[in-house]
Amino acid sequence: MNFDGSQIVIGRGAQAEVLSYYGCAYKVYQPSYPAEWISFEMQQQQAVNKAGISPVRYYATDDPHVIKMDLIEGDTLEKRVREGFQSGFELMAEAFRKVHAADIDGINMPRFIETAGMGLDDESKNVIFPIIERLSKKMQECICHLDMHFLNMMVSKEAADCVIIDWINARIAPAVFDYARSYVIIEESAKELLDQYMKAIKQDLFTAGISDEDFSDALTVCRVMRKCENQENDSIIIKLAETDDELCGIGYVHYTSWQEAYRGIVCDRYLDTMTVEATTARARQFPENTLVAKDKDKVVGFAVYSKSRDEDLPDAGEVDAIYVLSEYYGKKIGYRLMNEACSRLSEYNTIFLWVFEKNERAIRFYHKLGFEFDGSKKEWNLGTPVTIVRMVRSRK
């Protein structure tokens, strides 16, 4: 399928990018992605359309690696939460209830027990299948999304309506596995939010007759499966930036990360003036001491490190920048980039960085790595004044 150049990239994943084009969305897969998997994804979408739990329809095109889709107006719930929306987990709990209440009669969708062992070794299968069999006999089965998190939920500006996307993992299963799968995903990417998640779903677990033992067993299944998935997806390499293609990738990640992470922190006027061309030019101008995270040929994150530029910390190392595309959150790429940057600054007893004062997600991440505020602040004028604060980690 040919586009006329007016398409806009509105999403990008490991295997496909999503374009906005003349009022529709188009999911464009890499040529190496198996066509039968794309066909299965269309089949899954048709199933949830029939069940009445997704209004988004998929349409075949003249290219087997391109799907046309209804365009969803709104933002991901992840973005809305970063901007201050307080009821993310309540909205997720409501989404679970809607999905689990759908009628499965006549729905063409695989059962969880039929596909759960894919890619697992015999030892792992011996762990998970007795649990799945026990819980499947004990509990009523329903449609489970099995990848429910804030990046797979689109909300309107008023956060009144929610559209769940990416149904390829959906299966017919006891609801406990849906709740447990999301727990494991949150556990990997934002462990400190687990109490909020459990509070939001507590009553639904009770209503469904899910005991603590049942939930614990389902967590075991989901952790085993997730570990296998992460091993399969561990194609990420960390290296120094060397080629112009890598510098172009850095420019894209820099631009996209600011758009994704800083709405609500930096004024929209400033973000709207940014361009990929400008961030790419900057990457080319300052290529030294830059690490890239690559998924095959695609740059998905980067970090820049240097000797201190702060006069009051002359004998220290500095992490100047670290960014990862949001669709790669939860894969420990930020940790790997930071660890590699710090190892290259190992001659210094002190390493520091600057972060937006309101960037709570990043601050939590840095705290986990041992960085603490040292009281230093600066003000940047990015359309409106924004405060940055310094965080320091010193060798004991």
Side-chain angles (χ1 to χ4, degrees):
M1 179 172 177
N2 295 319
F3 298 93
D4 65 10
S6 63
Q7 69 274 15
I8 300 171
V9 178
I10 56 174
R12 193 186 297 264
Q15 300 295 342
E17 62 180 9
V18 181
L19 311 176
S20 173
Y21 187 62
Y22 290 107
C24 293
Y26 290 81
K27 195 168 187 177
V28 182
Y29 294 85
Q30 295 179 7
S32 59
Y33 194 72
E36 59 268 26
W37 294 1
I38 300 172
S39 176
F40 176 71
E41 183 168 350
M42 291 191 70
Q43 174 187 310
Q44 290 282 89
Q45 194 65 32
Q46 290 166 359
V48 296
N49 291 153
K50 182 176 180 180
I53 48 180
S54 175
V56 180
R57 298 192 177 273
Y58 284 12
Y59 310 92
T61 68
D62 58 5
D63 186 331
H65 282 83
V66 178
I67 294 175
K68 180 180 176 181
M69 307 180 292
D70 295 330
L71 182 64
I72 305 169
E73 299 290 346
D75 296 316
T76 64
L77 182 55
E78 195 270 346
K79 180 181 178 184
R80 294 303 313 281
V81 168
R82 279 192 281 105
E83 292 173 348
F85 180 64
Q86 297 295 314
S87 303
F89 287 119
E90 287 75 11
L91 206 57
M92 182 185 288
E94 184 180 326
F96 276 133
R97 288 192 288 271
K98 177 181 177 181
V99 172
H100 299 161
D103 186 359
I104 63 173
D105 186 39
I107 297 298
N108 181 21
M109 182 178 289
R111 294 181 69 223
F112 183 56
I113 198 168
E114 295 169 348
T115 61
M118 292 176 61
L120 298 183
D121 57 29
D122 289 341
E123 182 180 355
S124 297
K125 290 177 182 177
N126 290 336
V127 171
I128 70 166
F129 277 117
I131 297 173
I132 297 174
E133 289 169 0
R134 180 182 78 80
L135 294 177
S136 295
K137 289 177 181 177
K138 177 181 178 181
M139 300 176 183
Q140 183 176 352
E141 292 186 321
C142 60
I143 295 176
C144 292
H145 185 273
L146 295 178
D147 201 19
M148 188 84 78
H149 53 77
F150 288 174
L151 286 171
N152 278 344
M153 300 173 69
M154 303 292 295
V155 294
S156 63
K157 289 185 178 180
E158 297 76 23
D161 302 315
C162 173
V163 177
I164 307 162
I165 61 174
D166 286 350
W167 290 88
I168 194 166
N169 289 331
R171 298 292 185 269
I172 303 297
V176 63
F177 291 109
D178 220 359
Y179 294 120
R181 170 79 174 188
S182 291
Y183 183 102
V184 171
I185 293 170
I186 297 166
E187 184 178 47
E188 290 177 356
S189 58
K191 196 171 185 177
E192 66 280 2
L193 299 179
L194 284 174
D195 286 346
Q196 294 181 44
Y197 171 66
M198 291 303 296
K199 182 179 179 181
I201 66 169
K202 182 178 179 180
Q203 183 59 46
D204 294 313
L205 295 179
F206 177 79
T207 302
I210 298 170
S211 68
D212 290 346
E213 179 187 1
D214 295 336
F215 191 69
S216 178
D217 281 352
L219 285 177
T220 297
V221 170
C222 293
R223 284 175 178 142
V224 168
M225 295 178 66
R226 187 73 171 170
K227 181 179 179 181
C228 176
E229 292 168 16
N230 288 339
Q231 289 172 344
E232 289 176 351
N233 293 330
D234 193 17
S235 59
I236 308 297
I237 61 167
I238 309 294
K239 63 182 290 292
L240 281 170
E242 297 173 296
T243 69
D244 190 64
D245 282 348
E246 289 170 347
L247 296 176
C248 289
I250 289 167
Y252 175 81
V253 172
H254 185 174
Y255 169 81
T256 304
S257 296
W258 272 64
Q259 303 303 314
E260 291 175 338
Y262 295 156
R263 295 282 175 184
I265 297 175
V266 175
C267 81
D268 286 349
R269 287 197 315 276
Y270 182 86
L271 294 174
D272 292 342
T273 64
M274 291 182 66
T275 64
V276 176
E277 291 76 16
T279 52
T280 300
R282 181 176 177 81
R284 286 172 171 153
Q285 185 180 1
F286 303 105
E288 301 84 7
N289 299 333
T290 301
L291 298 164
V292 289
K294 297 184 71 176
D295 183 2
K296 300 183 176 64
D297 293 329
K298 176 185 175 182
V299 175
V300 300
F302 74 93
V304 182
Y305 61 94
S306 68
K307 186 181 185 305
S308 170
R309 300 170 294 174
D310 287 15
E311 293 181 359
D312 61 336
L313 283 178
D315 299 316
E318 179 175 0
V319 178
D320 305 271
I322 180 167
Y323 296 107
V324 176
L325 294 176
S326 63
E327 64 260 34
Y328 284 84
Y329 288 174
K331 297 181 181 293
K332 308 297 183 185
I333 296 171
Y335 284 97
R336 291 176 61 187
L337 282 167
M338 183 64 85
N339 288 338
E340 182 63 25
C342 289
S343 73
R344 290 171 182 265
L345 296 169
S346 59
E347 63 188 280
Y348 302 105
N349 288 327
T350 298
I351 298 173
F352 70 91
L353 52 85
W354 290 89
V355 59
F356 287 122
E357 188 176 40
K358 293 185 177 180
N359 191 354
E360 295 178 0
R361 180 189 179 95
I363 289 169
R364 289 196 300 267
F365 171 67
Y366 299 140
H367 274 313
K368 290 178 183 178
L369 292 170
F371 287 86
E372 299 293 342
F373 298 119
D374 74 346
S376 298
K377 294 187 177 185
K378 294 180 183 178
E379 194 171 89
W380 282 358
N381 185 3
L382 301 177
T384 57
V386 236
T387 302
I388 59 172
V389 292
R390 190 165 66 186
M391 300 184 73
V392 175
R393 185 175 79 179
S394 297
R395 193 176 297 163
K396 304 297 184 184

